[in-house]
Amino acid sequence: MFAGQLALIVAALFAGAALYVNIAEQPARLSLDDRAALIQWKPAYKRGFAMQAPLAIIGFLLGLAAWWQTGDWAWLLGAALLLVNSPYTLLGIMPTNRILMAAEPASAGPNSRALLEKWAALHAVRTALGFAATLVFLWASMT
């Protein structure tokens, strides 16, 4: 069950980091002017991606290992919830990311702000998936 407990911890770290973006970082970013908000988003996104992508993959692998060890389908469900973040990011969020990354700060304005707001809504789905995986792993660890 060690793999399952580690999966729970990793999923909780993923969910907590994602929640931080939604409730602290993004509101602070949107309090800036359009140019500064875009400038701040670019490196923050790169660093966040570098942290969250490995957490999703590691949590998935640990959940998969816990399922393999126990045969309990709940571990597999939690692992799948973490894994879904990858295709969701690539298909659902990446088009917005590419536009924001290509945007020049000098041309920032209402359109770039609207894209940052759209990005936050899309990112909230990642947060929800992280919390769902955490709750499933918690449930699995208690059964």
Side-chain angles (χ1 to χ4, degrees), residues 3-4 6-8 10-11 14 52-68 74-87 133 137:
L6 288 176
L8 173 60
V10 171
F14 178 93
Q52 282 200 296
L55 286 174
I57 293 166
I58 292 166
F60 163 74
L61 293 173
L62 289 166
L64 199 61
W67 168 71
W68 183 75
W75 294 110
L76 186 60
L77 175 61
L81 287 167
L82 283 176
L83 184 64
V84 165
N85 277 288
S86 296
F137 285 156

Side-chain angles (χ1 to χ4, degrees), residues 99-123:
I99 295 168
L100 286 167
M101 282 295 187
E104 291 296 326
S107 64
N111 289 340
S112 60
R113 180 165 293 271
L115 283 170
L116 287 171
E117 291 169 352
K118 176 182 178 183
W119 177 87
L122 293 168
H123 187 269

Side-chain angles (χ1 to χ4, degrees), residues 14-139:
F14 178 93
L19 183 64
Y20 172 81
V21 170
N22 286 113
I23 67 168
E25 184 178 301
Q26 182 69 5
R29 179 182 300 123
L30 292 178
S31 73
L32 302 171
D33 65 75
D34 297 338
R35 180 180 172 278
L38 180 61
I39 289 170
Q40 191 281 334
W41 179 86
K42 290 183 179 194
Y45 169 75
K46 287 179 182 177
R47 288 179 182 227
F49 181 81
M51 177 190 57
Q52 282 200 296
L55 286 174
I57 293 166
I58 292 166
F60 163 74
L61 293 173
L62 289 166
L64 199 61
W67 168 71
W68 183 75
Q69 290 173 345
T70 66
D72 184 348
W73 63 269
W75 294 110
L76 186 60
L77 175 61
L81 287 167
L82 283 176
L83 184 64
V84 165
N85 277 288
S86 296
Y88 173 72
T89 299
L90 292 173
L91 299 173
I93 303 177
M94 198 58 72
T96 303
N97 292 350
R98 287 189 183 115
I99 295 168
L100 286 167
M101 282 295 187
E104 291 296 326
S107 64
N111 289 340
S112 60
R113 180 165 293 271
L115 283 170
L116 287 171
E117 291 169 352
K118 176 182 178 183
W119 177 87
L122 293 168
H123 187 269
V125 173
R126 289 175 51 88
T127 304
L129 288 168
F131 273 97
T134 301
L135 290 173
V136 170
F137 285 156
L138 179 63
W139 176 53

